[in-house]
Amino acid sequence: MQFRNAMRFASLVTGFNALVLGSVAVVGLANPLMMLPVGSVANEAALTFAIYAAARSLPLAVFILVSIVMRFGRMLTVLGFLAGIIQFADMWVGIHEGDLGKTIAPFALGCLQLYAVWVLQHSKR
């Protein structure tokens, strides 16, 4: 694949992943109960963990979007790899909670993200 097409594909996938990471962080801040297992009670600890999740996800999303706009291929490769690994970590959270939706969606997005990074890394410049 040509570098230009690989960059477009990786930008699309990584940008979508950044929006997912950022939106999940914002939802956790707005309503921490949505991030907890069914039947849990939201308390100050849930809000604290939501703040930690936002502190991790929002700067990553901003840097991913900057690397897409500025067309920094190497930066997008590194940040895309990191975003893919984060999705696999989120998959383990879904496995721990026994929630199929919180398991399959991060796994699929993580696989797509790492494939996009691989395509970008192996494209013809």
Side-chain angles (χ1 to χ4, degrees), residues 6-75:
M7 185 69 179
R8 284 182 186 153
F9 176 65
S11 295
L12 180 71
V13 171
T14 309
F16 177 73
N17 197 351
L19 291 176
V20 168
L21 289 170
S23 65
V24 168
V26 170
V27 166
L29 286 174
N31 187 4
L33 190 59
M34 290 186 70
M35 304 307 296
L36 297 175
V38 177
S40 296
V41 177
N43 57 16
E44 193 66 31
L47 180 61
T48 301
F49 280 107
I51 292 169
Y52 275 114
R56 164 195 80 153
S57 300
L58 293 178
L60 177 63
V62 168
F63 278 104
I64 287 172
L65 295 176
V66 166
S67 69
I68 290 170
V69 170
M70 301 298 290
R71 299 178 192 261
F72 294 149
R74 291 177 194 237
M75 185 175 172

Side-chain angles (χ1 to χ4, degrees), residues 9-10 12-14 16-18 20-21 60 64 76-92 101-119:
F9 176 65
L12 180 71
V13 171
T14 309
F16 177 73
N17 197 351
V20 168
L21 289 170
L60 177 63
I64 287 172
L76 187 63
T77 301
V78 172
L79 294 175
F81 181 76
L82 179 61
I85 297 302
I86 288 171
Q87 288 295 342
F88 284 121
D90 288 345
M91 174 194 72
W92 284 104
K102 289 181 182 177
T103 302
I104 293 176
F107 176 74
L109 190 53
C111 288
L112 183 63
Q113 179 65 62
L114 293 183
Y115 175 70
V117 168
W118 183 85
V119 166

